Amino acid sequence: MTDPISPSLLEAWNTYGQYLAYAIAGVGVLILIGHYLKLLTTSDYKSRYDYINMHEINLLWYGFVLIMIGAALYVNTFHDKTTWLWFFVWVFVSIMVAMIVGVIVQNVLKFYYPFFIEKRLKKLRYTPRVSPEGRKMKLLSEEEEDVYLDEGMQAEEDAFSVDYDVWIDEVSGYTKIEKYNGRLHALQCPECNYQTLKVDKEEVVQEATETEEGELMKYFTCGYCGHKERKSFNIARLRSQEPV
């Protein structure tokens, strides 16, 4: 291990190691560029909302990891004269530094970045839609939108599993219905204040009838500190079937 590494072997490592570092880091950069190009070229607010919600954090993480691997490899391709012992010491140190930085970035993406994403998602969701005629559309209230939702959609909303937004062009009557997952977003935990409180399970405590509201119990668990809590929600009364 204390023997010097042959100059020819070091030269080959330095040359091809740099090529490999460029390739790995380049893939990471392409992932990030592709992500932001996708955002720039997606004009529909709902499509952009879904893309950010489902993919942004993962893509940022994958891109960063590949860039860090490329950087760690690159800094180990400048050896001139060294021994095997010092070569592996440098490799070990660079790996440890990359892991420490990776843990920091992972925590930022997991616990802090969701606050930033949530603000962007709210802006995308409630930015007025535009009808095919170019007019701004109105977002209907919960009471107003029921006219445009079928019974299945209304049942989904009553169970809090799905939330529908109905936009209408008040001049032409053109409507656009957008579907949002009611259980997808994490809430802010009251204990650690991170946006990591998610629905763990749901339980119907009391079924709704045509005369009485029902009760739905949601059980939440924080992915960071483990805090648990439950909240009760009312389920709207069943709508009576009109005689045919």
Side-chain angles (χ1 to χ4, degrees), residues 40-133:
L40 290 174
T41 56
T42 303
S43 57
D44 182 73
Y45 291 126
K46 180 60 166 64
S47 298
R48 198 185 307 171
Y49 178 102
D50 291 336
Y51 178 76
I52 292 174
N53 198 29
M54 298 298 296
H55 303 296
E56 179 155 300
I57 289 181
N58 286 336
L59 290 175
L60 292 179
W61 173 242
Y62 297 149
F64 172 79
V65 167
L66 291 174
I67 292 173
M68 281 299 302
I69 292 174
L73 182 60
Y74 182 76
V75 298
N76 283 283
T77 58
F78 291 98
H79 299 290
D80 186 9
K81 294 179 180 180
T82 187
T83 63
W84 286 106
L85 176 62
W86 280 106
F87 177 81
F88 285 114
V89 167
W90 275 103
V91 171
F92 176 79
V93 170
S94 60
I95 291 175
M96 291 298 101
V97 171
M99 289 181 64
I100 292 171
V101 175
V103 169
I104 294 173
V105 173
Q106 185 182 44
N107 285 324
V108 169
L109 291 176
K110 187 175 182 180
F111 302 121
Y112 291 98
Y113 197 69
F115 287 100
F116 174 65
I117 283 187
E118 192 66 23
K119 291 180 181 179
R120 292 166 61 200
L121 292 181
K122 285 182 178 179
K123 183 177 179 180
L124 286 171
R125 180 170 178 176
Y126 298 113
T127 297
R129 305 305 190 243
V130 179
S131 69
E133 291 81 10

